[in-house]
């Protein structure tokens, strides 16, 4: 079952904050976050593990809520370079198979 | 310069023809993956391989075939049985098949079936 991301799309002004959520109906072992620019390959941002700490990549951080089987990506003081589509990639315990979320399109305006 | 190469970047084929997409990596990673991406949608797993000479079906394997004869190569064949093959195809590799491993993606091949 594909994880559901919300919102589907968001438009920000430079300097504003945003939160992207990734929810799964299955128990998660790990969550990866990727950003994809139009027509390019996804680029890894960070990984969160079950029971692990909140991670950070520059001004982007993420958390993992085990009770809700949800991960959230926090973009603080957004920059123009943050524009793109964000995907979460989830792995349920023991499957060694990644399932990517539906994606969230983020556009940062000057 | 280490990485993943996919060729060609754009591919056009006539309906009913099989076509093979190339994926090569010089990262010395054990695990390799093929994903399909349709406009406005996420990545869907077609096949994955955790080791040479072994591979498993992903969520949408019907109409596709793969081989993993060498560690660095994981070609994907889109057969005529695939009902809607036009899509953006991404190949990825990770050190192993562990959930701790980052996936590194190639630049992708955009396949259009006419």
């Amino acid at each position: 079952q594909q994880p559901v991301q919300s919102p589907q799309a968001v438009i920000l002004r430079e300097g504003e904050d945003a939160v992207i959520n990734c929810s799964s109906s299955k128990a998660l072992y790990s969550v990866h976050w990727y950003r994809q620019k139009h027509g390019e390959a996804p680029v890894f941002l960070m990984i969160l593990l079950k029971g692990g700490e909140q991670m950070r990549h520059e001004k982007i951080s993420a958390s993992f809520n085990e009770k809700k089987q949800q991960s959230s990506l926090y973009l603080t003081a957004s920059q123009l370079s943050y524009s793109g589509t964000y995907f979460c990639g989830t792995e349920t315990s023991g499957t060694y198979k990644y399932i990517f979320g539906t994606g969230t399109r983020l556009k940062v305006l000057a | 310069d280490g990485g993943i190469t996919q060729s060609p970047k754009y591919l056009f084929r006539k309906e009913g023809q099989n076509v093979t997409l190339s994926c090569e990596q010089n990262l010395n990673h054990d695990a390799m993956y093929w994903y399909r991406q349709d406009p406005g949608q996420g990545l869907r797993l077609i096949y994955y391989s955790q080791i040479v000479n072994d591979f498993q079906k992903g969520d949408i394997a019907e109409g596709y075939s793969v081989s993993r004869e060498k560690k660095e190569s994981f070609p994907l064949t889109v057969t005529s049985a695939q009902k809607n093959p036009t899509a953006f195809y991404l190949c990825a590799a990770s050190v192993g098949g562990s959930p701790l491993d980052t996936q590194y993606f190639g630049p992708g091949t955009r396949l259009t079936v006419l």
Side-chain angles (χ1 to χ4, degrees):
Chain A
Q1 188 102 21
Q2 192 174 23
V4 176
Q5 289 183 231
S6 62
Q8 287 186 317
V10 58
I11 299 175
L12 300 172
R13 289 285 177 189
E14 206 172 3
E16 291 181 338
D17 301 339
V19 180
I20 299 171
N21 296 308
C22 171
S23 299
S24 173
S25 59
K26 293 187 176 183
L28 297 176
Y29 184 86
S30 68
V31 179
H32 297 219
W33 283 98
Y34 292 81
R35 177 172 59 211
Q36 184 181 29
K37 302 279 187 180
H38 182 68
E40 298 179 9
V43 174
F44 173 78
L45 292 175
M46 64 189 78
I47 178 176
L48 294 103
L49 301 179
K50 180 179 176 180
E53 298 176 356
Q54 183 175 25
M55 299 300 291
R56 175 173 291 277
H57 171 80
E58 298 175 345
K59 290 188 177 179
I60 300 173
S61 61
S63 63
F64 190 161
N65 187 323
E66 289 181 46
K67 279 188 178 179
K68 292 184 178 180
Q69 297 305 329
Q70 176 178 293
S71 178
S72 297
L73 189 71
Y74 306 94
L75 296 97
T76 306
S78 58
Q79 306 168 16
L80 295 175
S81 61
Y82 286 3
S83 293
T85 300
Y86 289 78
F87 292 102
C88 62
T90 61
E91 195 272 351
T92 53
S93 301
T95 62
Y96 295 95
K97 190 173 78 173
Y98 293 90
I99 301 175
F100 283 85
T102 48
T104 295
R105 293 188 306 280
L106 184 108
K107 177 75 174 176
V108 180
L109 303 175
Chain B
D1 198 7
I4 300 174
T5 56
Q6 291 185 244
S7 60
K9 189 169 184 178
Y10 298 95
L11 190 55
F12 297 88
R13 279 293 181 268
K14 289 184 179 179
E15 195 172 343
Q17 288 182 334
N18 290 358
V19 59
T20 297
L21 280 59
S22 165
C23 177
E24 303 281 329
Q25 56 110 351
N26 60 6
L27 301 169
N28 200 33
H29 286 355
D30 283 320
M32 296 187 76
Y33 310 79
W34 273 106
Y35 295 93
R36 170 184 171 137
Q37 186 174 33
D38 293 284
Q41 295 190 32
L43 305 171
R44 291 184 290 168
L45 182 65
I46 304 172
Y47 268 98
Y48 65 107
S49 168
Q50 290 183 280
I51 199 166
V52 175
N53 292 323
D54 186 47
F55 48 83
Q56 286 80 39
K57 292 182 179 180
D59 299 315
I60 54 166
E62 186 175 347
Y64 299 97
S65 66
V66 293
S67 63
R68 187 81 188 280
E69 296 175 2
K70 298 186 294 183
K71 188 175 185 177
E72 58 269 25
S73 180
F74 191 40
L76 173 75
T77 297
V78 184
T79 75
S80 56
Q82 168 51 233
K83 299 300 180 191
N84 185 20
T86 294
F88 186 49
Y89 290 87
L90 284 161
C91 176
S94 63
V95 172
S98 162
L100 304 178
D101 298 329
T102 301
Q103 293 201 15
Y104 296 93
F105 286 85
T109 292
R110 190 167 298 280
L111 173 66
T112 302
V113 175
L114 306 170

